[in-house]
Amino acid sequence: IEQDGAHYKLIFDLNKRPPHEFDLGVRYDSDEAANILAAVSLNAHRMNTVRFNVNARLGFYPKYEAQLLYVPYYFPSVGISYNYKHMGFDYTIPGSSPFPSFRGYNRQQTEVFIRETYSKYFTAHLGLRQSTYQLYQSSDEYLADVLKEPKNHAMELNGNLQYDVFDNAFYPTKGVKTNLTLKYVMSQDFYTASANPFIFGYDFTGAIPVSDRFAFETSFNLRGILGDRMGLYGTPLGNTIGGDYAGRYYETQVPFVGLVNASLAYDWLGAARIDARVKLSPKLYAYAMYNYGITASLKGREDIKTGTGLIDNWFDLHGTGLKLSYDSFIGPVSVQVHWSSLWHRAGVYVNAGYIF
């Protein structure tokens, strides 16, 4: 805004941006050690054109993805993507042992999708995808037996809605962020009795400011699998709880303070969390965290009719932790000590860099 006598002028200074984009990221955490992300996007900042994106996540569990999409002016974008992911699942089974088991899959996934691209705060995605899973390692079987395991397949109709009005992606003081995922499994051969389950997930995170230095962060996560009868328990389509962020290994994974390794969960899963955050300096933050989770499997209709109740199996757990986090140029750098009621032991988690 410039003053011109008794009047003011609003001046827009427009400059051309490079149409293409290259991204490079580095991340370290005590769960996976180091990871490197490299991504190239052609026509990333052009409209009414075809965009081509390629990215590679290099590390202990690498992932490679290619995406081709058309972005028109006034309509949702249309595209196709292919990704390969080397998936490793360190998991525990409640009631057995705190020492994790392991199952590793190589997943290939192809998806045709439409996506909303214009809104600043709202995104929507609808896609039809075909996935192939090949077991390559298991702590429950000898390697020779694992290599004889047949491939598993799944075809899913997947929808996702996101709304994000946080004022800061990592240290918010106000706003909310929500994510709703609905998935209809059109076919799968992990468990034939659960031929066409319906899977849904909802995540909510909110920030409540108290003062310039103090704020609360609250979150709620819900997962459900309808029409399954526990057939997908322990598969890549099943529910798990634990880890630093949602969907890290299992797509339906719910994060939980106190559990570094994911724990298998039943068809219904919920978790609530509250963090008290204090700003110690312009870039240093301290957290006190608590969360509670509960998971259950429901009985079938015939069992319910007998009057024996609705719930078949269930367990709940508490987790708490303390964390110091520094807002660095490479992303959040944090050290966390935590404890959970599942195994009654403390742990330490270290993280440096953005999540990718």
Side-chain angles (χ1 to χ4, degrees), residues 26-36 57-61 90 243-245 248-249 253 259-261 323 330 332-336 338 348-356:
V26 178
R27 173 180 168 84
Y28 169 85
D29 64 49
S30 50
D31 192 17
E32 263 191 62
N35 290 285
I36 298 174
R57 179 181 182 271
L58 308 175
F60 207 69
Y61 299 118
D90 287 311
D244 191 32
Y245 56 90
R248 179 166 189 170
Y249 301 119
Q253 182 175 343
L259 295 177
V260 174
N261 299 119
K323 181 171 72 173
I330 65 169
V333 177
S334 60
V335 178
Q336 171 183 307
H338 55 247
V348 178
Y349 181 76
V350 179
N351 166 78
Y354 296 112
I355 294 172
F356 52 75

Side-chain angles (χ1 to χ4, degrees), residues 199-215:
I199 302 173
F200 72 89
Y202 178 71
D203 302 294
F204 171 87
T205 307
I208 305 172
V210 178
S211 67
D212 292 341
R213 292 184 171 273
F214 187 77

Side-chain angles (χ1 to χ4, degrees), residues 208-355:
I208 305 172
V210 178
S211 67
D212 292 341
R213 292 184 171 273
F214 187 77
F216 286 106
E217 293 181 33
T218 62
S219 64
F220 174 74
N221 309 92
L222 181 65
R223 302 288 185 269
I225 306 177
L226 288 73
D228 175 42
R229 297 297 305 275
M230 291 300 295
L232 299 180
Y233 181 78
T235 74
L237 301 181
N239 289 329
T240 61
I241 184 170
D244 191 32
Y245 56 90
R248 179 166 189 170
Y249 301 119
Y250 295 75
E251 288 189 358
T252 57
Q253 182 175 343
V254 168
F256 197 82
V257 174
L259 295 177
V260 174
N261 299 119
S263 174
L264 297 184
Y266 299 127
D267 284 350
W268 293 89
L269 170 63
R273 172 174 168 176
I274 185 168
D275 295 357
R277 188 188 70 216
V278 179
K279 190 174 184 179
L280 302 177
S281 71
K283 289 185 174 293
L284 183 63
Y285 300 83
Y287 291 77
M289 304 170 291
Y290 171 79
N291 50 195
Y292 172 78
I294 185 169
T295 181
S297 62
L298 305 183
K299 294 182 178 180
R301 294 179 181 178
E302 296 301 321
D303 297 325
I304 295 174
K305 290 179 181 179
T306 63
T308 56
L310 178 65
I311 297 176
D312 190 15
N313 293 294
W314 74 280
F315 71 90
D316 66 344
L317 64 160
H318 305 263
T320 186
L322 298 173
K323 181 171 72 173
L324 281 176
S325 182
Y326 180 76
D327 186 11
S328 75
F329 71 96
I330 65 169
V333 177
S334 60
V335 178
Q336 171 183 307
V337 292
H338 55 247
W339 174 91
S340 80
S341 62
L342 188 61
W343 306 120
H344 300 282
R345 62 180 185 179
V348 178
Y349 181 76
V350 179
N351 166 78
Y354 296 112
I355 294 172

Side-chain angles (χ1 to χ4, degrees), residues 67-267:
Q67 187 181 91
L68 183 70
L69 67 161
Y70 174 65
V71 186
Y73 279 128
Y74 305 110
F75 299 96
S77 59
V78 180
I80 183 171
S81 67
Y82 168 83
N83 74 70
Y84 169 89
K85 187 175 183 180
H86 189 67
M87 307 168 71
F89 302 152
D90 287 311
Y91 66 90
T92 54
I93 301 175
S96 59
S97 168
F99 300 102
S101 301
F102 180 84
R103 289 180 73 84
Y105 290 89
N106 291 319
R107 186 194 70 188
Q108 299 185 66
Q109 190 174 86
T110 304
E111 182 176 22
V112 179
F113 61 87
I114 57 175
R115 180 182 299 161
E116 190 279 333
T117 57
Y118 296 102
S119 173
K120 182 179 180 180
Y121 305 111
F122 173 84
T123 59
H125 179 103
L126 179 64
L128 177 66
R129 64 189 188 187
Q130 169 71 36
S131 306
T132 301
Y133 298 86
Q134 177 65 64
L135 185 69
Y136 70 84
Q137 189 176 352
S138 173
S139 57
D140 302 325
E141 300 181 58
Y142 292 107
L143 182 60
D145 296 327
V146 169
L147 297 178
K148 296 177 183 178
E149 290 278 357
K151 294 181 179 180
N152 294 107
H153 305 82
M155 178 171 285
E156 306 155 320
L157 183 63
N158 184 58
N160 180 261
L161 299 172
Q162 294 185 31
Y163 178 70
D164 186 351
V165 289
F166 270 157
D167 61 341
N168 185 295
F170 300 99
Y171 306 98
T173 58
K174 61 181 179 180
V176 298
K177 181 178 181 180
T178 65
N179 180 75
L180 175 65
T181 299
L182 303 173
K183 181 162 53 177
Y184 175 65
V185 182
M186 303 171 67
S187 65
Q188 57 82 27
D189 55 11
F190 283 102
Y191 184 65
T192 55
S194 302
N196 304 106
F198 180 80
I199 302 173
F200 72 89
Y202 178 71
D203 302 294
F204 171 87
T205 307
I208 305 172
V210 178
S211 67
D212 292 341
R213 292 184 171 273
F214 187 77
F216 286 106
E217 293 181 33
T218 62
S219 64
F220 174 74
N221 309 92
L222 181 65
R223 302 288 185 269
I225 306 177
L226 288 73
D228 175 42
R229 297 297 305 275
M230 291 300 295
L232 299 180
Y233 181 78
T235 74
L237 301 181
N239 289 329
T240 61
I241 184 170
D244 191 32
Y245 56 90
R248 179 166 189 170
Y249 301 119
Y250 295 75
E251 288 189 358
T252 57
Q253 182 175 343
V254 168
F256 197 82
V257 174
L259 295 177
V260 174
N261 299 119
S263 174
L264 297 184
Y266 299 127
D267 284 350

